[in-house]
Amino acid sequence: MEFSNQKKTKTIKRLFNIIGIAIVVVGLILLWMKKDTAVLVTAAIFALYVGAAQFANLCYVFFSTENGKILIRYYPVISFLKKNYESIEFPQETLLNFKIEKGLGFSDLTIAIRTKRGIAEYPSISLAALSKADIEKIRTTLLEIMKKNKIGI
């Protein structure tokens, strides 16, 4: 199985930029009209808007189970400094456990694998920009792989 949320993340990025530009234009118009209090309110709204986008941690996610490996590539859609491109790749037979945790309306994926030295747990991956159907596809696929692994033991 292989999928990504590339189309959705492009839409999210465009919408974020359009709304951000609209807020800045409104602020500039208010500044030109010398409405100081309204400019401060607009600046506060812009700061909250950017902060909320950073808190949501919306990520582009590419998920693949081809060639006997699990590959997950991800990076934040809205990033101001630099994009931290991350990638997780491991053989399917090393998958030990996974958790999809929901909190504040967002979902995170945590994966644990078996290594020669014991159990290794990868950092959480934000699934906030994925649809419920895509999150369910990931859950189902990982459950199938875990079932297959336990049969082979």
Side-chain angles (χ1 to χ4, degrees), residues 106-147:
F106 304 116
S107 296
D108 290 333
L109 171 66
T110 306
I111 294 178
I113 64 167
R114 253 178 279 137
T115 66
K116 293 177 184 177
R117 296 183 179 178
I119 298 171
E121 192 171 289
Y122 285 103
S124 293
I125 301 167
S126 173
L127 303 178
L130 292 176
S131 67
K132 287 181 181 179
D134 288 341
I135 293 171
E136 193 55 39
K137 282 182 198 175
I138 291 174
R139 179 190 319 271
T140 305
T141 303
L142 293 176
L143 281 172
E144 288 173 9
I145 291 169
M146 285 180 58
K147 285 180 186 176

Side-chain angles (χ1 to χ4, degrees), residues 18 23 30 43-44 55 77 96 117 126 132 139:
I18 289 169
I23 293 171
L30 292 171
F55 176 75
V77 174
L96 183 65
R117 296 183 179 178
S126 173
K132 287 181 181 179
R139 179 190 319 271

